[in-house]
Amino acid sequence: MWRHSGTAGGNPLGVEWYGILLGLGFVLSFGYWCTNFLIVQRAMAAESPRAARNTPLIGAIPKMFIPFLIIVPGMVALALMNNPAAQFTIPTNEAGQPIYDYTIISLLKYYLPSGALGLGITALLASFMSGMAGNISAFNTVWTYDIYQSYIRPATANKEADDKHYLKVGRLATIFGVLVSIAAAYLASMFGNIMDFLQTIFSMINAPLFAVIFLGMFWKRSTGHAAFTGLLAGFLIALLHHGLTVPAGATTLVKGGWIATLHVYPVEMAQNFWTAIFAFTTSALVTVVISLLTRRTKSNDELVGLVYSLTPRMKEDHVVWYKRSSTLAVVVLLIATILTILFW
Amino acid sequence: MGLDIKLPIGLMFTIFGIILTVYGIFTNSDPQMYQKSFLVNINLWSGIGMLIFGIFMLALTKKKKSEKK
């Protein structure tokens, strides 16, 4: 994995080691774990602060093994396709190229008898539905509570009528969310694989968001106006970067280069990492500068529980050592280190 | 806080496990069917596996309840 990352041309990702470290390791992964509402809402629903701290750690364990779930069936399918005795094929397109989207489905179809086949398909459907349901509920919660209720229609004295109204708005948001998801699926099919698409979106939205949340959490001087400007600036720079660069061999404008082509990246991922780095840096810089230029509106007391340096630390002394979050964190870190060395 | 996640997980795996195991037992004498999976009765084995996991989860829920009492 890291062995060939000395130069951009030496590895299939097309990024140097510092690009991977900064882009994926810092901006994109922190952005994913700390600002993705799908994860954050689960931590918020936890029964205790300790359980909330454990949420991302427990989530990290299956996440580490996802590469195996994705790569192993793919390699098995590839080996089988090249072995005529196995008689395994996957559907091809008009050009005679295999359509790799059908890999898992074909494997299921060829090797599972009825019974287990149904179970496999149920599991696939269940995972699609759970991912979709989680994201849509995150979407309508954020829209209804944090945007609609806070800025567009504040709560009135009549609580009952309010609740009814917000429920209706939430339901409409759900319908809208489903429609957007369907549209996004069509957009995603223009990309070579789902990971490229996800990281493109993440690098534009999550990267500036992470910069703002990061500063807001650790720097009590940051102000609301600055955060908003920073967010906007980061997003615009990400868009600009996406518009000015292009991955090699891109056929659609969705992949970038819709303004002009200033730089060609070897692959989509390289472009995404650098979009993320640019977006994060711009967003952070703008937030800091505007914060220093605007006046503080919140006193230290109002920020307790929001800014790290002003919040009392959580004590874990009363918990048995093997139940502490820090123990779990060390275990997760160890597994990640071992996996990294194994696949160096 | 209300529902322990282990209960629905346990129930689901137990029910699916029973269905697959029973189906596997009934189709065991039909080699045509398991030609695909190289004559391994995959329904029976995965059914048994799921059943064990489901019952284990249910047992954990039971244990937690009796601890509370």
Side-chain angles (χ1 to χ4, degrees):
Chain A
M1 205 161 61
W2 293 99
R3 202 182 295 154
H4 306 290
S5 62
T7 55
N11 68 80
L13 269 176
V15 201
E16 302 86 346
W17 62 272
Y18 51 87
I20 303 181
L21 215 58
L22 265 177
L24 183 65
F26 183 69
V27 180
L28 284 173
S29 49
F30 273 111
Y32 175 73
W33 289 104
C34 309
T35 68
N36 189 331
F37 198 74
L38 190 60
I39 294 183
V40 176
Q41 73 176 347
R42 277 163 203 185
M44 280 177 177
E47 54 177 0
S48 65
R50 204 174 62 82
R53 274 172 97 166
N54 284 344
T55 310
L57 293 172
I58 294 171
I61 296 172
K63 209 82 186 170
M64 283 190 286
F65 295 99
I66 279 186
F68 296 102
L69 292 181
I70 296 170
I71 294 166
V72 171
M75 291 194 322
V76 168
L78 203 61
L80 287 167
M81 275 162 62
N82 290 322
N83 178 3
Q87 289 189 332
F88 172 79
T89 50
I90 62 177
T92 49
N93 59 16
E94 297 93 15
Q97 292 283 318
I99 308 168
Y100 290 107
D101 296 346
Y102 288 110
T103 308
I104 294 260
I105 291 284
S106 304
L107 281 174
L108 289 177
K109 199 178 115 203
Y110 276 85
Y111 294 104
L112 290 183
S114 52
L117 177 63
L119 182 69
I121 291 173
T122 314
L124 269 182
L125 276 179
S127 72
F128 296 152
M129 279 164 71
S130 117
M132 175 124 174
N135 277 311
I136 288 184
S137 80
F139 171 77
N140 69 30
T141 314
V142 171
W143 163 252
T144 314
Y145 270 90
D146 296 340
I147 300 175
Y148 190 75
Q149 193 170 345
S150 306
Y151 296 105
I152 300 176
R153 186 187 177 281
T156 54
N158 187 349
K159 201 174 173 303
E160 206 176 309
D162 272 355
D163 284 347
K164 257 192 192 148
H165 181 77
Y166 290 134
L167 190 64
K168 207 170 122 196
V169 172
R171 282 178 180 155
L172 287 175
T174 306
I175 297 173
F176 181 72
V178 174
L179 292 177
V180 171
S181 313
I182 296 171
Y186 279 100
L187 199 62
S189 65
M190 289 186 207
F191 281 76
N193 65 58
I194 193 76
M195 219 41 205
D196 285 341
F197 177 62
L198 273 181
Q199 297 293 18
T200 307
I201 302 285
F202 275 7
S203 63
M204 287 187 194
I205 314 270
N206 278 24
L209 195 60
F210 167 59
V212 168
I213 290 190
F214 183 79
L215 283 169
M217 261 176 75
F218 292 106
W219 192 42
K220 58 185 178 192
R221 182 66 183 77
S222 34
T223 63
H225 289 298
F228 185 75
T229 333
L231 202 59
L232 206 65
F235 178 62
L236 289 178
I237 286 288
L239 265 184
L240 190 68
H241 181 260
H242 187 255
L244 287 175
T245 58
V246 74
T251 44
T252 59
L253 287 179
V254 183
K255 290 185 176 179
W258 37 268
I259 303 174
T261 308
L262 283 187
H263 184 81
V264 177
Y265 286 106
V267 282
E268 283 95 338
M269 268 310 172
Q271 186 194 21
N272 294 337
F273 289 177
W274 286 107
T275 310
I277 296 172
F278 277 113
F280 175 83
T281 320
T282 317
S283 189
L285 277 178
V286 170
T287 310
V288 170
V289 171
I290 308 270
S291 286
L292 292 174
L293 290 177
T294 46
R295 279 191 37 232
R296 258 185 96 177
T297 48
K298 294 252 157 73
S299 66
N300 277 0
D301 293 337
E302 287 175 287
L303 293 176
V304 170
L306 290 173
V307 176
Y308 186 74
S309 59
L310 300 173
T311 307
R313 299 286 174 278
M314 206 176 93
K315 288 271 187 325
E316 281 200 307
D317 299 340
H318 58 284
V319 193
V320 215
W321 68 271
Y322 56 83
K323 281 189 174 172
R324 287 183 197 161
S325 320
S326 38
T327 317
L328 188 58
V330 171
V331 170
V332 170
L333 191 64
L334 263 180
I335 303 176
T337 314
I338 292 169
L339 284 175
T340 310
I341 294 172
L342 274 180
F343 294 95
W344 190 267
Chain B
M1 271 274 285
L3 184 71
D4 186 354
I5 187 81
K6 291 187 209 82
L7 183 67
I9 292 178
L11 276 177
M12 197 199 77
F13 272 92
T14 313
I15 295 170
F16 278 24
I18 292 171
I19 296 173
L20 274 185
T21 314
V22 171
Y23 189 67
I25 293 169
F26 275 100
T27 53
N28 201 24
S29 53
D30 181 5
Q32 189 91 56
M33 188 167 160
Y34 292 106
Q35 207 75 53
K36 270 182 167 178
S37 51
F38 305 104
L39 299 178
V40 176
N41 191 336
I42 199 162
N43 287 335
L44 182 65
W45 290 113
S46 52
I48 292 173
M50 287 176 80
L51 199 57
I52 293 171
F53 181 74
I55 290 171
F56 174 69
M57 279 285 151
L58 288 180
L60 283 182
T61 333
K62 259 274 163 52
K63 189 175 152 248
K64 208 177 172 189
K65 259 190 197 156
S66 55
E67 266 173 12
K68 263 187 191 161
K69 276 172 196 167

